[in-house]
Each structure stands twice: as C-alpha cells, then as structure tokens.
Amino acid sequence: MTITTRPGPATPVSPAAPSPVRLPRAGELARGHARGAPLRREGPAKLTGTALYADDLVFPGAWYGATLRSTEPHARLLGIERDADFDWSRVVVVTAEDIPGDNVVSLIIDDQPILVPVGGEIRHQAEPVALLAAADRDTLREAKARLRLRTEPLAPVFDPLVSSQVFAHFDMGKGDIAAGFAAADLVVEGTYRVGHTEQLYIENQAMIAVPREDGGMTVTGSLQCPYYVHKALKRALALDSERAVVIQAETGGGFGGKEEYPSLLAVHAALLAQRIGRPVRMIYGRHEDIAATTKRHPAIVTHRTGVTREGRIVAQEIDLVLDGGAYCTLSPVVLSRATIHAGGPYDVANVRITSRAVATNTPPNGAFRGFGAPQAEFAAEMQVNRVAEALGISPLELRRRNIYREGGVTPTQQVLRESVAAQEVLERAAEAAEFERIRERTARERAARTASARTARGIGLALGWHGAGFTGSGEERMGSVASVELTAEGAIRILAASTEMGQGTKTIFPQLVADELGVPYDAVEIAPQDTSIVPDSGPTVASRTAMVVGGLIIKAARRLRAQVEERTGRPFAESYLHDAQTWGGTREDERFEPYPGVHFDDETYTGDAYPAFGWACAVAEVEVDLDTGEVAVRSVVSADDVGRVIHPVLAEGQVEGGTLQAVGYATIEEIKLHDGRYLNDRLQTYLIPTAVDAPRIDAILVEAPFSGAPHGAKGVGELPMDVGAPAVVAAIHDATGVWIHDLPASPERILAALDGHEPPGPPGISA
Amino acid sequence: MPAEPPVASPTSLGQAYALLAAAPHRPIAGGTDVMVQIAAETTPIPERMLDLWRLDELRGIRVEGDALVLGALTTYTEIRRSPLCVEHALALVEAAATIGAVQIQNRGTLGGNIANASPAGDTLPVLLAMDASIVAGSLRGERTVAAADFWPAYRRTPLRPDELVLRVSLPLVAGRRVRYRKVGTRRAQAISKVVMALAWREDGGVWRHVRLALGSVAPTPIRATETERVLEGAAPRETVADHAAAVLRGELRPIDDVRSTAAYRKAAAARVLHRLLREEGGW
C-alpha cells in the first residue's frame, strides 16, 4: 500500500481551511494510537463467533414468518384462496386488508404496495401477496402450499427500450453539441449494456419484530438505514415515532442491498407480530433473498463522441436508459447519479446527456455499490478506450489531454474548485502498473501470436470519478444530526445512526472523536444503532459516512472539548472525568449545514451536484484462454483519491473488496431471466469470484482533501466499483483484439467474438 | 430445511440390503447432492433415508487383476491422495480436484457422482473414456453394468430401488493415455459448462481404442462416437484435429441453460479437443 499524503503537483493544494484535526500522515501509521490503524471495534466478536446477527437472536415464543409471492410477472389479483382441508387455526395469514396504515413501502414515490390487494395489479414474479406465520417451520411450509392465488394474466413488458412507463428522466448538458461535432475530425459511436447483478452480502436479509407493551413495535434486523425502516414502519402500522423502534443487529454486509429492502421486510415482520401479539422472525434463505431482493439496475448506454485529430474530445452525446424493474424504489436518484457521471471525468466543452429510468415487469432494482455510476462509467471508459484506439493514441495519453483539472466545469455547470485528483490517480496507477511498458509488450506478443497460442495477455486502464455524498441538495434536505456526549459517568459516547456493515464505521468514528478530543481510541464508545437512542444521521449510503457524518461528529466533539476546557481551564483529556463528576453529562448535537460555497438548483438541475468528487484509476492485467474465452484477471492496480485516509487498513480493504467485486461484475456475474424471473437465484448458479479467482490487488491511496469537511475525507466505498470493469474489459481487448460491449465480458461473449458465432443475447433482458 | 425423514444407518452391507428389500430408501453417502436438493426443494423429501457412510465394505482403492477398483464410498479427497489413482487413473485425480471445495471433496463420493447421474457429473466422462464397469448389488446378488450403459436418459440409471452402487472397476490398459479438461464459470467450486475426457492407445504411430466422452453437453454424460471414428486409426495431425473438431461441433446437441449457451458449449468443446490434439501431436 502507498499513501500519498499531499496532493502531487498536478492537483495544487487548496489553501482553504487547513484541517485542525491531525489524521495519519506518512510515517505515523505504525504508531498505534487513534491516528494509526486500531483494531476494528467489532472485529474480535466477529472472529470469535460471539457477534450476534439477527438469526442468532433469541426471542422466546417467537413465530416464524413467510411470504407468499406471485409467480407471474404481470397479472390482476382476483383472490387468495385457502385450502378448506387445512387447519388454518395453526397459522396466521395477513393480507393487504389487514394493514392498519398505508399500504405503501415508503420511499420516493408511493407506488409499491406492502402486499398486493385483491383487485390490485401484480407487477413482478417475486411480488409479496400474503404473509403467514406459525409456531414451527413445517406448519408454515405446509400452510404456504395450501394458499392459492387466483389471477388474470396481463401482458408483461420486459424490454426497457419499449417500456412506456418512465420513473424519471433527465436532459442535461453544456456548450453547443452541433458545433462540437462540427469541429470533430472523428466521431465514434457505441452502445454498451450492463445486466442485473446481486450484492451477495454474506448475511441474508433478516428482521425480527417484537410487539411492545405500549402497543408499538420494535424491529431488530440486518439493515443499513435505521431511519428508513423507522419511517416505513410508522407509516404502515400507523405508529408515532416513539412507539416504532428500529435496532440494527450485527450486519453481515450490505453493498446497498440493505438500503431499501429492509423497510419492506421489517413491515412484513411487524404486520405478523402485531396480528398475533408475539415476536415474528423473518429470516430469508439465500434462494428467497436472491429471487426477491433488489439488484443493480441494468443499463443501456449509447455514446456518440466527437474528437479532434490531436485527441481533444469536443463533443459527447450520451443516452442512458436504466431498467428500474416493477417499482420506482430509488431509481430517480440512481438515474441522476448515473446521468451526472455519464461523461466520465473529462472536461468536454459540448455535452448533451439524456436519460430515463423505466418500468419493466421484473423485480425492482435498487442500490448497489456505486449507485448507477458504475454502469455509466463502464460505458464512458469503453468509449474513451475505443476513441484512443481509433486515433492511435495511447489510452493514457488521451486521458491526459481531456481530464478534469481545477477550474473544470461539469455537465451540471459545477466548477471544480478544489480536490481534483484525476491526473494524480491516473499517473500514479499507470506508473505503478508500468502501463506503457507492459502495453508495448502485449502489443509485441499480439503481433507475434500464432494459431498455436493457447493464452493471450493484455493490459487495460480506466479512470473514474465519484461524487462524494448525496446528489444535489439531498444532504441539505435531510438535515442529518449526529452527537457526541460526555456522560455523567465520564464516558465519551458517539450517537449516530450510521451503521457498521463490515466497512468500518464503528472504528473510524471513535478514531475521529479520539483525535479531536486528544484521548485514546479505546476511551471513545459508540452507542448502538437504535432509533430510540441515536439521532437520525441519515442513511449509511453514498460513501457519505466518513465525509458527512464523520464531519458532524468531529464538529460535535470540537464543541464538547471547548465546553469542557472552558469550564475546567485544562486540556480535555486531563479534565473530562472531573468535568463529568462536577457538572454532570454534556451532549453536543451537530446538525448538517451546507458546505460553504456549495449550491445546487433542483429546478434547473444545475450547480454543485456534489460537494466534491473522489477520483480513481484502475489498471488491470488479464490472461485470456483463447480456446474457451475464460479470463483470469492477474492483477489490478487501483489508485483512489479518498480525500483523507482515516484508517489505512480499512481504506485499503474497501479498495481491495470493491476491486474484486468489480472483477466479478466485469467477467462472470450475470443474472439471467425467463418470463421476468431470475433463473440463477441460488449460490450454486449465481457465481462470484472465489479466492483463487482474485487478482493481486495493489491499492494506492491518494489524498486530495475536501476543505468543506473538517477532516478532508471524501469517502472510499464506491470508487473502486466504477473503474474495475472497464479496465478489465480494456485488458481483454488488448489481449484478444475484440471489444466486448456488454457486461459481463463472459467467456460466452468473448468466445463468440473470437470464434465468429452468434453471441448470447444482451444482459438484463428476460427471455 | 424441511422436516427430517427417518435415517437408517446400517453397519454392514447385509443390513443395508435387508433394509432396502423391506422398503424403499433414498441412499445417502456424503450427502453433497441430496442434501442440497432437499434444502432447495428440488427433490421431494424422501420418506426414508439410508445412510451408507458406515459401510466400510464400500471403501478402498486397490488393483485387482488388471483393473483398478474403487469402492463406491471413495471420496474425492481419497482419489486425489491415492498413489494408485495417480499411477493408473490420473484423469480421475484431475477430475476429483475440480469438484467443489475441500469440504465437498472430503464428503462427496465416486459412487454418489455415479448414482446422482447428473449430466454435469465431473468424473463421469472419465469413467466413460476409461471403459469403466459399475458393480451394483442387492439381496438378489451383484451385477456389472458398463459405464456406457449406466446413464440411459436424463438423471436415470439402471439401478433398481433395492440396489446400491458397490464399486467401480477401471480396466488397466497398457499404453493407454487419458486427457481431462473441465471448463467452468470460475476457477474453483463451479459446475462445468463443458467437461471432456479423451482416451486412446498409441499403436504404430496411430491412435486406437479412442474414447471421447463429454459432460454438460447433453441430457446425460455421452461418448462422441462420430468424432471417435475420425480419430480411430489416425494420428493427431493438424488436418485430423481440424476435422475432428468440426465433426464434434456437428455431433454435439447441447442446450442453452443457466450456466452457458449451446453455441458456447459446441465451440468450446471443439476448441478444447483441437487443443488436446495439438498438444499430443506436438505441432
């Protein structure tokens, strides 16, 4: 691992707001203390098996819950019929008419029912229609088999290009696109497609609802966003804020997959628990989890690029279509991120980007690491690599001539005033991977290759950018709160709704507060993610936790320190115990305030789409089996600008994990559909890379701090997902000479191109 | 998991035969297929199960006369570690090494792979290519079935409800060579898209007794007999390889399924065969 502690000459340091927080600098990392790389908080419990995930939690008297789903992609629900021969007194069945509150899964728009009502429309194969609970699983299974749906089939729509139902659309740009193309010496066109992919967190979705004595409901489960679940629960059960409580159990991964779906599952468990007055466990098996929960949005992206002979991109015309599936979920926000990132990290004078997210009769798609940007940037980088080939310019050199630098203007008219590290990540990754030298070698090998060659090596490069935190004015609207308190007992405690799902929240937050207060890491506690205890710090998504919520707790800690030091006249570390004994507890709540100088206009969709961008470059080396089209990704060098590294081991882990996830998405992961149903909805058939498929990954962490955050951090989780796939596909092209326009670049697609037979159909479309 | 059926665990083959004669039981050895099928509800829950794991009579790898004999309970791990298998059936060792993870290789058995009768069973093309015989037994006695007759239709075997697979016999043929190749989605723990075993004996510069067996390209493991005829009596020259690959492409009738496409399977099988012939021919 390499950490660049200061931005290089390509990205001048902004003189604004030198951070008063001392975060790790080179050479300090080995010193232990809060500034180094302390052990992760929940690590020992996870390693020793004592960490309690939802399914480990015991609630005496709990019943098991199950979901009866549609088996048709589109139909009218005429009735739910019970087998008269079955003893229904042993089970409880809940249907839409039993919902005390609104029958909607509360999110962006109110289109998705909690359960399809009789007379209502079934819009996908995995749609929940009724809920059942029983004291034991055998009875539950038997009862479920005795319920029948009576339906009237309706014509389904599977192709997003013919769907007439649009969830959201954008049309943005700058300059004069016609003049741009007129100035171009060469125009390159291409269409790129990405299919559904599954987050495949290790722990399946799981929720346990427990009725409260006050008539409310407590739900404990595997989730990313306690307050999303809280909001959905209140609305469906018609509860006030105090009587709806959401608690995060230890969570085995999320990757976006536990952003919105847990709301639906929590409401399902709560409806059953409320009906029978007992705890109800809804723990999905892997098959149900893959079959029913959200996937990455399939995308169809068409590019038309005008470029001068000298390699200056002068016009980009891009059309992007996302398949949202049956309901809106988060599609408008995924689409907006995809649209803003669609041009890639290039300063092009004339740009037009049109986009839409549409409905199909397939299960709803949702958040997945990168949130629309990976699909858009796969297409953008494929296009840039093809432009480089058409011009006969090195892909590295073509990027040098077009990347954003300070002062660059994005398609939303955002002026990039600081923290622009496109060139630095590009040069660092290219240098570490010896991109040009190896590219010359693979070119020589390609030229000398004979028919007897069994394998071919190639190298590929991709560059990316990722807007840090929520898009546009999302953060301002959300008004997140996070707190730091000194309890009367003298404990220092962080109160935030940000969840730990393996990425390190519970480790970096105490680090940040310990640094601010000048106390050891172990002196800082973190309160449980329980909506009756912690304030709404917003969802744990969009790589916003380190930057936004981390910034809030630093500011809260700073105020706490000032108060205590004012009262005691001594440094916080020496005086806080005495202060607590004398004055009792002190709690500082910090509410988000817009970053200075950051403005976005929702009406015109112009302005600062993000407070800052993170930048990433990946260089991949592959070996392709020319007989079978199998791809072995040998190595990936990934340089990622995260603003400021808080915990180098965790940050590197994010880059490594994201890169491996991108390798799977690039090469083998593909949900196949028939009649709107996922065919490979088991671990036996939905394959992700194993340890032996993993490349060597070199993570280079670059720091171009964002002055708006007190610690300069911009987030790391999603960045590597944007660049891995286009780098791998460029390397496959370098090895074989064929461009694979659709993801995954599977052996089937590669061999079809090498062998000259018909390629498989496009990804993401139901047969 | 659905309700557990009753499981009988006999400690001798005689007890097992008697139980099977009295009532139908679903045999279970390592359980690496049947437990997955039950959990996934892709098979009905058996009424009764017969645990074979304690039947030590079905274990062991030995040379008997001019055959290598493997007990039905031989695990993939035992095959991988067996010097006799390495010496006499290296392709079987290679196949065993591609199956599942270490845990699966410790529990999964050769007899289970045979009785499960999956078209993707990774050892089955090796058994076909090596002219294996499969010995089944019941209270009524033992009988021997050629591997070529053991998988007549999709997931079918000639086993009667009271019969168990006892052992596999691989004839030892002087000078025989066997090549094995599996194409899966990833480098470990993948069900095959194409699996191939090619056996022959060189005789005066040409190949004799050519057997080309494939899995995952038909409803059963198959022999590609038209392609075998091209190779029989020929030498692995480039023109022969071109012809054989083309004939194989025409001969196979695979399907599109969740793992791969028919077009890929035909092309990959033909190209892998071409590669094996190129390597053997040294051109």
Side-chain angles (χ1 to χ4, degrees), chain B residues 122-196:
Chain B
D122 284 319
T123 66
L124 308 186
V126 179
L127 302 186
L128 282 172
M130 294 181 77
D131 292 326
S133 302
I134 293 153
V135 181
S138 69
L139 272 187
R140 294 174 286 110
E142 295 189 359
R143 65 186 177 117
T144 300
V145 182
D149 299 326
F150 207 85
W151 302 286
Y154 178 67
R155 287 193 173 268
R156 295 270 176 226
T157 72
L159 289 174
R160 300 189 183 108
D162 64 343
E163 275 184 318
L164 293 173
V165 175
L166 304 183
R167 58 190 176 273
V168 180
S169 179
L170 300 172
L172 302 181
V173 179
R176 180 180 57 197
R177 297 209 50 210
V178 188
R179 295 289 309 270
Y180 178 80
R181 184 79 196 276
K182 168 171 166 175
V183 180
T185 299
R186 60 187 176 194
R187 291 155 67 83
Q189 301 193 52
I191 299 173
S192 58
K193 295 174 177 176
V194 175
V195 53
M196 177 186 292

Side-chain angles (χ1 to χ4, degrees), chain B residues 184-237:
Chain B
T185 299
R186 60 187 176 194
R187 291 155 67 83
Q189 301 193 52
I191 299 173
S192 58
K193 295 174 177 176
V194 175
V195 53
M196 177 186 292
L198 174 65
W200 72 95
R201 215 173 64 194
E202 203 174 306
D203 184 1
V206 297
W207 285 15
R208 302 285 179 196
H209 303 289
V210 177
R211 303 280 183 270
L212 175 61
L214 295 105
S216 293
V217 293
T220 67
I222 57 160
R223 291 249 311 263
T225 50
E226 287 175 39
T227 312
E228 286 177 358
R229 278 197 289 276
V230 173
L231 295 171
E232 188 68 41
R237 287 192 301 270

Side-chain angles (χ1 to χ4, degrees), chain A residues 100-102 104 106 217 219 227-246 263 267 270 531 536:
Chain A
D102 298 337
V104 291
S106 192
M217 191 65 64
V219 177
Y227 277 92
Y228 278 5
V229 178
H230 189 245
K231 185 179 168 201
L233 194 62
K234 284 193 300 180
R235 190 155 174 216
L237 271 71
L239 295 173
D240 56 43
S241 289
E242 285 66 42
R243 291 190 304 147
V245 176
V246 177
S263 297
V267 167
T531 57
D536 185 357

Side-chain angles (χ1 to χ4, degrees), chain A residues 57-416:
Chain A
L57 301 173
V58 175
F59 292 91
W63 280 25
Y64 297 92
T67 313
L68 183 72
R69 300 177 185 279
S70 158
T71 52
E72 292 166 281
H74 195 198
R76 174 86 46 207
L77 180 64
L78 303 177
I80 303 166
E81 287 169 2
R82 302 180 187 202
D83 185 339
D85 295 335
F86 185 73
D87 175 9
W88 290 98
S89 69
R90 295 151 61 206
V91 295
V92 157
V93 178
V94 163
T95 61
E97 60 192 25
D98 302 315
I99 299 169
D102 298 337
N103 184 11
V104 291
V105 184
S106 192
L107 212 57
I108 292 176
I109 63 169
D110 288 344
D111 62 337
Q112 183 172 198
I114 294 162
L115 296 168
V116 178
V118 171
E121 204 174 311
I122 288 166
R123 293 187 188 171
H124 66 90
Q125 281 266 15
E127 182 143 27
V129 177
L131 304 167
L132 302 92
D136 66 273
R137 285 185 251 205
D138 289 337
T139 307
L140 188 63
R141 187 175 306 102
E142 203 186 336
K144 192 175 160 186
R146 303 294 189 99
L147 282 181
R148 284 276 174 277
L149 301 183
R150 198 153 51 79
T151 59
E152 177 193 347
L154 299 169
V157 174
F158 296 133
D159 185 348
L161 294 180
V162 305
S163 172
S164 57
Q165 190 189 346
V166 176
F167 292 128
H169 60 94
F170 293 99
D171 185 343
M172 66 175 62
K174 62 174 184 174
D176 179 340
I177 192 76
F181 280 113
D185 296 313
L186 178 71
V187 174
V188 175
E189 297 182 32
T191 296
Y192 311 95
R193 304 183 69 135
V194 177
H196 302 84
T197 50
E198 161 62 32
Q199 297 89 356
L200 220 74
Y201 29 72
I202 293 293
E203 183 205 17
N204 295 328
Q205 304 264 356
M207 284 286 170
I208 303 167
V210 183
R212 294 163 59 87
E213 285 180 2
D214 62 8
M217 191 65 64
T218 297
V219 177
T220 303
S222 186
L223 54 90
Q224 288 179 227
C225 312
Y227 277 92
Y228 278 5
V229 178
H230 189 245
K231 185 179 168 201
L233 194 62
K234 284 193 300 180
R235 190 155 174 216
L237 271 71
L239 295 173
D240 56 43
S241 289
E242 285 66 42
R243 291 190 304 147
V245 176
V246 177
I247 302 170
Q248 185 207 14
E250 195 72 69
T251 295
F255 309 110
K258 292 171 185 166
E259 176 167 352
E260 71 265 44
Y261 200 86
S263 297
L264 179 62
L265 187 56
V267 167
H268 283 172
L271 288 169
L272 286 167
Q274 191 181 51
R275 178 70 176 277
I276 57 181
R278 300 170 163 272
V280 170
R281 309 172 67 87
M282 296 281 281
I283 317 282
Y284 281 180
R286 183 65 70 179
H287 173 49
E288 183 169 27
D289 193 295
I290 298 181
T293 71
T294 53
K295 304 284 173 282
R296 183 180 297 287
H297 286 71
I300 304 159
V301 191
T302 302
H303 274 254
R304 194 163 160 254
T305 304
V307 64
T308 67
R309 222 170 274 111
E310 296 73 36
R312 182 74 200 159
I313 301 172
V314 290
Q316 281 178 315
E317 193 174 18
I318 302 166
D319 182 61
L320 183 147
V321 178
L322 292 184
D323 180 354
Y327 293 106
C328 180
T329 68
L330 297 161
S331 291
V333 203
V334 176
L335 183 71
S336 105
R337 186 175 283 273
T339 307
I340 292 166
H341 289 78
Y346 306 104
D347 200 347
V348 178
N350 309 293
V351 181
R352 177 145 187 236
I353 307 169
T354 51
S355 66
R356 63 189 196 274
V358 301
T360 59
N361 293 109
T362 58
N365 299 309
F368 186 174
R369 195 177 204 161
F371 208 70
Q375 297 95 308
E377 296 193 53
F378 167 68
E381 290 304 280
M382 287 289 292
Q383 182 74 0
V384 169
N385 283 326
R386 289 185 52 232
V387 167
E389 183 187 41
L391 287 170
I393 295 178
S394 152
L396 173 59
E397 184 53 36
L398 180 66
R399 284 176 172 82
R400 285 185 183 126
R401 294 178 194 177
N402 292 283
I403 48 176
Y404 282 120
R405 296 161 198 277
E406 274 195 24
V409 180
T410 76
T412 64
Q413 320 289 344
Q414 174 168 4
V415 180
L416 300 172

Side-chain angles (χ1 to χ4, degrees), chain A residues 387-457:
Chain A
V387 167
E389 183 187 41
L391 287 170
I393 295 178
S394 152
L396 173 59
E397 184 53 36
L398 180 66
R399 284 176 172 82
R400 285 185 183 126
R401 294 178 194 177
N402 292 283
I403 48 176
Y404 282 120
R405 296 161 198 277
E406 274 195 24
V409 180
T410 76
T412 64
Q413 320 289 344
Q414 174 168 4
V415 180
L416 300 172
R417 288 180 296 268
E418 60 161 37
S419 193
V420 182
Q423 181 164 2
E424 182 167 12
V425 296
L426 179 68
E427 301 294 353
R428 294 293 306 262
E431 185 190 340
E434 299 185 79
F435 177 74
E436 293 292 15
R437 188 180 70 77
I438 291 177
R439 194 168 153 268
E440 283 170 25
R441 191 193 71 200
T442 55
R444 282 197 304 276
E445 287 173 354
R446 201 167 53 242
R449 191 168 298 136
T450 65
S452 68
R454 175 168 167 187
T455 59
R457 293 188 293 180

